[in-house]
Amino acid sequence: MLRGNISRRTFLKGIGLTGAVVGVGLPPLEAMVNLNGTAYAAEATTGKVLESPIESRFLLWFNGNGIPERYWIPTEIGPGYTLTPCLAPLAPFRNDIHVISGLDNAAARLPGPGNGHHNSMSALVSGTPFSGRGAGGPSIDQVIAAKIGGDSRFRSLQIGVCQESFGESIQRNMSWADRNHPLPPEMIPHRLFDRLFGTKDQGWVNRKRSVLDAVSNDAAQLKSALGKQDQSRLDDYLASIRDMERAIAGLPPQYAQVEEPETSGDMKDWPRIAKLQADLLVHAFATRQSRVASYMLTKCQGLSRFPWLGLTAERHHDYTHDNANQPEGQRIMRDICKWHVEEFAYLLGKLKSVREGDGTLLDHCCLVFVHEHAEANTHKNNGLAVIVAGHAGGLVTGTHSKVTGTVGDLYSTLADRVMGADASNFPTAQKHLTELV
């Protein structure tokens, strides 16, 4: 089949969806783009095939409890900055990221209820004060999803990993449809996989069959119509799905359960879960099942222990306060935050491995990496450091900028200038940050 002959409707429909109980979205193929490799084919209501740009995707990534600034924020400004110990895992992606420092989370300091974490989290994601029950308004991912998510299978996806927290809604959720209306993250890979592929086939639900069994005929028929390069890409893609199946099926039984926030098992292998969730997120973005997602690696005021780092004496939140200003306490926070960044780097690598058009999936993504605090011990809400990654919409990368502006300014700049989703009215937004785009 010649490139440009598979329409966007076929791309979104995937294989196995018609009359089936499971389905597999299609990966980006050469047959879906025009000759310069930068546009999908889209069927108009007239039946004609038109060209449209490859769409951008947006991800809000969150880690709780703040950072040790000395080990996280670069001292140099500009492209020649030195990667700090916490940011070292991003060395292979230096030209794909923009480290930003100096942001103010002003809404976190407005009068009202909350213990510092509550206030900061609500202000961070929604630009509004903590209501006493939850966020005071919609989170930025939902503001963007309301503008661009309507023609996707899922308007947005909410994904989580570590379960431990103090248990209040503002601590457990980062996506909010509106005031006091949380959208809980899916923290179980089994359930996220089932949501993306379908759950009615009991053979798959019981992990006794492969989801690929249900679409094998469609896959074979499609493959016969593709060129050699697309055939190879389709084979690799289906193999990656099977690898995810095997990885999920191989998890211990207790990993399929969500436990009570304050009593969940400390010794679970969260890095293993994090990578599976990242793989599933990449699948959802690559097959365009959703253009908007949030990823909550750890909770606000999180209580995780970190046995894979040799840290089991205390919980995450305790480490941010007990001896946090002492050299050993700072080194512990350095190692925890470096793990956070390692998982983010894994996601960037997966996105960059997916060919799309004349580039990669990462080229069409805008990812924002945030914490509820700057320096963790003091619950600091000014001078926040974030990472913006990807190349959607002409994002500036490969540098460190110290900016003067608010979290709202950051979000409105990315929403307006990169995602084409007007967020000029986002709380605390007053200007665009010219350093970003």
Side-chain angles (χ1 to χ4, degrees), residues 53-317:
I54 296 176
E55 296 166 324
S56 299
R57 287 77 147 183
F58 178 83
L59 175 71
L60 185 65
W61 170 292
F62 174 81
N63 289 314
N65 288 328
I67 62 173
E69 291 181 326
R70 73 179 69 178
Y71 290 122
W72 209 101
I73 301 176
T75 56
E76 305 94 345
I77 305 298
Y81 73 95
T82 301
L83 285 167
T84 56
C86 288
L87 300 185
L90 291 170
F93 308 103
R94 185 185 182 95
N95 294 326
D96 302 307
I97 64 170
H98 190 161
V99 181
I100 299 167
S101 60
L103 288 169
D104 189 25
N105 192 15
R109 297 189 295 275
L110 296 176
N115 67 357
H117 291 275
H118 302 73
N119 323 57
S120 298
M121 188 65 177
S122 178
L124 176 71
V125 297
S126 71
T128 59
F130 175 55
S131 71
R133 295 176 55 198
S139 54
I140 183 58
D141 58 309
Q142 293 308 299
V143 172
I144 293 174
K147 301 292 179 64
I148 69 170
D151 61 346
S152 301
R153 183 184 176 202
F154 301 107
R155 195 176 85 157
S156 65
L157 290 171
Q158 293 75 46
I159 300 171
V161 181
C162 300
Q163 299 173 17
E164 300 94 341
S165 76
F166 281 94
E168 294 183 51
S169 189
I170 192 65
Q171 295 159 322
R172 292 183 285 111
N173 300 294
M174 64 180 290
S175 291
W176 296 79
D178 209 334
R179 180 181 175 89
N180 295 333
H181 184 175
L183 298 173
E186 180 52 73
M187 295 182 289
I188 305 298
H190 309 65
R191 296 179 186 175
L192 183 57
F193 190 104
D194 289 347
R195 189 177 181 200
L196 295 177
F197 292 97
T199 62
K200 295 180 181 179
D201 187 301
Q202 290 302 309
W204 163 243
V205 171
N206 296 326
R207 306 294 183 248
K208 294 179 180 179
R209 297 178 57 213
S210 168
V211 69
L212 299 180
D213 295 340
V215 299
S216 57
N217 290 337
D218 281 358
Q221 184 176 1
L222 173 63
K223 183 178 177 181
S224 67
L226 297 174
K228 288 185 177 180
Q229 193 162 354
D230 274 346
Q231 288 182 3
S232 178
R233 188 173 296 183
L234 182 61
D235 284 341
D236 290 344
Y237 171 72
L238 296 177
S240 73
I241 292 175
R242 187 66 186 120
D243 288 342
M244 283 192 294
E245 286 184 316
R246 292 191 179 103
I248 293 171
L251 293 173
Q254 63 268 28
Y255 282 41
Q257 303 170 3
V258 176
E259 301 177 23
E260 289 301 315
E262 292 186 79
T263 60
S264 55
D266 296 320
M267 306 308 285
K268 284 187 177 178
D269 185 0
W270 295 130
R272 188 177 179 186
I273 301 299
K275 290 177 175 60
L276 278 171
Q277 297 290 70
D279 291 344
L280 289 165
L281 169 62
V282 172
H283 168 84
F285 273 0
T287 58
R288 205 192 158 280
Q289 295 194 56
S290 184
R291 293 181 61 194
V292 180
S294 63
Y295 189 104
M296 198 174 198
L297 180 63
T298 59
K299 300 298 188 187
C300 169
Q301 200 174 357
L303 296 175
S304 298
R305 288 191 171 94
F306 305 94
W308 57 93
L309 301 177
L311 301 174
T312 58
E314 294 189 275
R315 295 177 181 268
H316 188 188
H317 181 255

Side-chain angles (χ1 to χ4, degrees), residues 225-412:
L226 297 174
K228 288 185 177 180
Q229 193 162 354
D230 274 346
Q231 288 182 3
S232 178
R233 188 173 296 183
L234 182 61
D235 284 341
D236 290 344
Y237 171 72
L238 296 177
S240 73
I241 292 175
R242 187 66 186 120
D243 288 342
M244 283 192 294
E245 286 184 316
R246 292 191 179 103
I248 293 171
L251 293 173
Q254 63 268 28
Y255 282 41
Q257 303 170 3
V258 176
E259 301 177 23
E260 289 301 315
E262 292 186 79
T263 60
S264 55
D266 296 320
M267 306 308 285
K268 284 187 177 178
D269 185 0
W270 295 130
R272 188 177 179 186
I273 301 299
K275 290 177 175 60
L276 278 171
Q277 297 290 70
D279 291 344
L280 289 165
L281 169 62
V282 172
H283 168 84
F285 273 0
T287 58
R288 205 192 158 280
Q289 295 194 56
S290 184
R291 293 181 61 194
V292 180
S294 63
Y295 189 104
M296 198 174 198
L297 180 63
T298 59
K299 300 298 188 187
C300 169
Q301 200 174 357
L303 296 175
S304 298
R305 288 191 171 94
F306 305 94
W308 57 93
L309 301 177
L311 301 174
T312 58
E314 294 189 275
R315 295 177 181 268
H316 188 188
H317 181 255
D318 300 326
Y319 283 125
T320 67
H321 295 293
D322 296 348
N323 299 314
N325 289 330
Q326 301 302 314
E328 179 60 19
Q330 285 280 295
R331 286 193 291 269
I332 288 173
M333 282 298 295
R334 174 200 65 193
D335 292 346
I336 291 172
C337 288
K338 183 179 179 181
W339 171 65
H340 294 163
V341 176
E342 286 173 355
E343 297 304 333
F344 188 66
Y346 175 84
L347 174 63
L348 296 185
K350 297 295 288 190
L351 291 169
K352 200 167 184 176
S353 71
V354 178
R355 299 295 305 172
E356 186 172 63
D358 60 352
T360 72
L361 181 54
L362 183 60
D363 292 330
H364 303 115
C365 285
C366 172
L367 302 92
V368 186
F369 180 126
V370 295
H371 300 86
E372 84 245 36
H373 292 134
E375 189 69 42
N377 184 41
T378 57
H379 290 187
K380 185 182 175 187
N381 287 301
N382 64 312
L384 264 65
V386 307
I387 301 170
V388 175
H391 301 281
L395 284 169
V396 173
T397 56
T399 191
H400 168 220
S401 297
K402 187 172 184 179
V403 302
T404 301
T406 67
V407 173
D409 294 334
L410 169 73
Y411 293 157
S412 67

